[in-house]
Amino acid sequence: MSQSLQAVRGMNDILPDEGDIWEHFEDIVRDWLRSYGYRPIRMPIVEPTSLFSRAIGEVTDIVEKEMYSFVDALNGEHLTLRPEGTASCVRAVIQHKLLAAGPQRLYYQGPMFRHERPQKGRYRQFHQIGVEALGFAGPDVDAEHILMCARLWDDLGLEDVRLELNTLGSADERAKHRAALIAYLEQHADRLDEDGRRRLYTNPLRVLDTKNPDLQEIVEAAPRLLDFVGDESLAHFEGVQAIVKDAGIPFRINHRLVRGLDYYNRTVFEWVTTRLGAQGTVCAGGRYDGLVEQLGGKSAPAAGFAMGIERLLALWQDSGGVAAPATPDVYVVHVGEQAQRLAFRAAESLRAHGFAVVTHCGGGSFKSQMKKADSSGALLAAVIGEDEAAAGEVGLKPLRGPGAQQRINLDGLPDAVAECLFTEDEDDGGV
Ligand code: ATP
Ligand code: MG
């Protein structure tokens, strides 16, 4: 036998048991996004490579070493599997002139690709929910994003998620801080690691974001960006904090929070947990006022955030979040050719009335089919043998509770199923 094929390292299958959880989660997320007036947008998974180098920045982990880029063998185009969604979303907004109709509240979700070292909570194909608000300049929308996240954690019953906030100021303010930072880091150049030395001149702010424990002392004592931030940026930051405080959401100001992408300015935030080990950031975002213009659009302010679905789901399960597996209402068993034809008609008629129905496929005896009906989790079996088929009737049998099998005419089947399901709920003292 030839060796069986495996998925690409760091790229996971989501099998049905997990799939149920994902879909339950996605249902909650969709309701949550609608409740804030955000609308769906879907972008291609493949984009021109230059989109990401222009948007994210040449000297970032993502663009330097994490992108799945390739040359299209058919036409020589340089393409990349998207490592994040903001750049694509902004590209789409510019391309289709969405801002001409006014500010936009948008969201998307789907797979992202980064060539990182796979480990718990860090994959090469992972999934994000991204939320972007374009055309809004004030601190109100930044705060809205933070409040949104807090509400989702509440809806999911997540525990131990903390908010960290910072401001990156304006481009001018960052330039002044950058000069001071370079001067400081130059004094310590001999103690920097390879990444640090390489970034000293290209992207010194990112040196502050290092995870290398040997550099913590140096970065702790580095010039603080906040000391270079001017009145307008400070007022913006205070505006965000005021709304967040009003909402009763606790936060910590983390001066070293700089984010891994270059496009951010002013507000940046992360939601972190200690429950997931090293990969503790479940959501990250902030303001990116320069990006629309940088990608060729008419200048427009914007802010957004992205959540890592795998990390959120791990935390959700850790906090006791579960999804009931999707089970059918009715499982249809049938023996005989005439019975099979009636089975298909009965199942379609039930589905037309909104019931979830599995029709047995693959034949077999009543006994073996009833076993399948039982393990499907269905509440009812619709049983069709030769007798029933001849009479145009269906035997309806409760699988989870008391009650005898009753014979029902095909026309009366939807009402009879509704009655059984309704009574089941009442027996459970149900909702
Ligand atoms: P990290 O510091 O963990 O590498 P990041 O700053 O690169 O994160 P962002 O680009 O801000 O991450 O992406 C937003 C969120 O997407 C992260 O907070 C995280 O929850 C999730 N995420 C990012 N990279 C991965 C990955 N490789 N695997 C799983 N989730 C990820
Ligand atoms: Mg990263």
Side-chain angles (χ1 to χ4, degrees):
M1 209 172 80
S2 61
Q3 206 185 352
S4 62
L5 291 168
Q6 304 276 316
V8 175
R9 192 165 122 78
M11 306 201 179
N12 301 312
D13 299 307
I14 297 160
L15 301 178
D17 280 349
E18 258 188 287
D20 281 336
I21 298 173
W22 279 67
E23 293 207 340
H24 185 200
F25 173 80
E26 285 159 4
D27 287 345
I28 294 174
V29 164
R30 246 196 297 276
D31 288 347
W32 162 72
L33 287 161
R34 277 203 200 107
S35 78
Y36 283 86
Y38 283 74
R39 298 186 60 210
I41 182 166
R42 299 183 188 210
M43 300 81 64
I45 284 170
V46 177
E47 293 275 3
T49 302
S50 57
L51 172 65
F52 301 112
S53 37
R54 270 171 72 180
I56 300 173
E58 293 280 1
V59 194
T60 55
D61 279 348
I62 294 180
V63 173
E64 277 181 340
K65 54 190 183 196
E66 295 176 357
M67 295 209 301
Y68 282 90
S69 297
F70 58 97
V71 179
D72 184 329
L74 297 179
N75 62 10
E77 278 184 277
H78 290 258
L79 303 176
T80 293
L81 299 184
R82 64 180 184 194
E84 56 106 49
T86 302
S88 310
C89 183
V90 170
R91 196 249 332 118
V93 165
I94 297 169
Q95 184 176 337
H96 303 287
K97 302 183 176 61
L98 295 191
L99 286 171
Q104 300 284 319
R105 284 182 165 89
L106 305 171
Y107 77 87
Y108 48 83
Q109 65 171 308
M112 306 292 162
F113 302 84
R114 298 184 192 177
H115 197 102
E116 307 195 65
R117 191 168 69 77
Q119 53 199 291
K120 185 172 174 271
R122 191 175 293 286
Y123 309 103
R124 290 180 174 173
Q125 175 175 326
F126 63 100
H127 298 75
Q128 284 184 340
I129 293 159
V131 173
E132 319 286 355
L134 298 108
F136 298 92
D140 45 4
V141 94
D142 308 28
E144 172 173 285
H145 286 170
I146 291 168
L147 267 56
M148 280 177 83
C149 293
R151 176 161 302 283
L152 181 63
W153 312 153
D154 210 48
D155 289 350
L156 294 169
L158 295 191
E159 291 162 8
D160 291 340
V161 205
R162 290 176 294 103
L163 173 62
E164 304 210 329
L165 265 185
N166 195 18
T167 179
L168 300 181
S170 66
D172 286 352
E173 292 152 9
R174 271 208 307 286
K176 291 198 190 93
H177 170 253
R178 184 189 149 103
L181 187 59
I182 291 177
Y184 168 84
L185 291 173
E186 276 174 339
Q187 291 168 16
H188 301 280
D190 52 330
R191 288 169 63 197
L192 293 179
D193 59 10
E194 197 196 315
D195 267 350
R197 268 196 296 277
R198 197 160 39 85
R199 289 190 171 149
L200 203 165
Y201 298 103
T202 51
N203 196 350
L205 199 58
R206 294 279 289 125
V207 180
L208 299 185
D209 196 26
T210 179
K211 294 190 172 103
N212 183 346
D214 298 338
L215 296 183
Q216 296 310 309
E217 203 187 316
I218 294 176
V219 296
E220 282 294 345
R224 280 185 175 193
L225 182 52
L226 192 63
D227 297 330
F228 293 80
V229 168
D231 288 346
E232 240 181 281
S233 295
L234 278 180
H236 186 103
F237 194 37
E238 273 154 22
V240 177
Q241 291 177 56
I243 301 174
V244 172
K245 277 184 196 152
D246 262 355
I249 301 167
F251 61 87
R252 183 176 85 97
I253 293 181
N254 175 356
H255 294 289
R256 288 182 41 206
L257 187 62
V258 297
R259 310 286 307 111
L261 301 85
D262 275 358
Y263 51 59
Y264 288 105
N265 69 308
R266 291 203 170 160
T267 320
V268 285
F269 65 88
E270 286 193 356
W271 289 90
V272 291
T273 178
T274 48
R275 289 206 183 191
L276 297 177
Q279 270 53 252
T281 305
V282 292
C283 175
R287 182 158 278 283
Y288 52 91
D289 292 327
L291 187 59
V292 176
E293 192 174 19
Q294 197 178 311
L295 292 182
K298 194 166 145 250
S299 173
F305 63 92
M307 310 186 287
I309 301 185
E310 283 83 357
R311 293 186 195 175
L312 268 181
L313 286 181
L315 186 61
W316 193 33
Q317 283 174 281
D318 195 62
S319 308
V322 281
T327 52
D329 298 315
V330 181
Y331 192 102
V332 185
V333 305
H334 53 90
V335 175
E337 195 183 319
Q338 228 193 327
Q340 182 181 62
R341 291 167 67 183
L342 187 61
F344 272 90
R345 278 174 57 204
E348 288 306 329
S349 135
L350 285 173
R351 291 184 191 115
H353 284 79
F355 298 106
V357 183
V358 172
T359 307
H360 181 83
C361 286
S365 67
F366 269 123
K367 196 169 163 213
S368 71
Q369 291 192 32
M370 285 306 288
K371 271 196 192 150
K372 292 252 164 52
D374 207 45
S375 59
S376 75
L379 294 171
L380 296 167
V383 185
I384 309 174
E386 266 173 39
D387 279 1
E388 286 87 354
E393 291 177 348
V394 171
L396 201 56
K397 182 175 163 54
L399 294 173
R400 310 281 152 216
Q405 180 167 329
Q406 39 172 330
R407 265 175 74 157
I408 315 279
N409 188 281
L410 191 60
D411 294 337
L413 187 61
D415 282 345
V417 166
E419 199 167 313
C420 288
L421 295 178
F422 185 59
T423 331
E424 284 266 335
D425 278 353
E426 280 186 342
D427 287 349
D428 289 352
V431 278

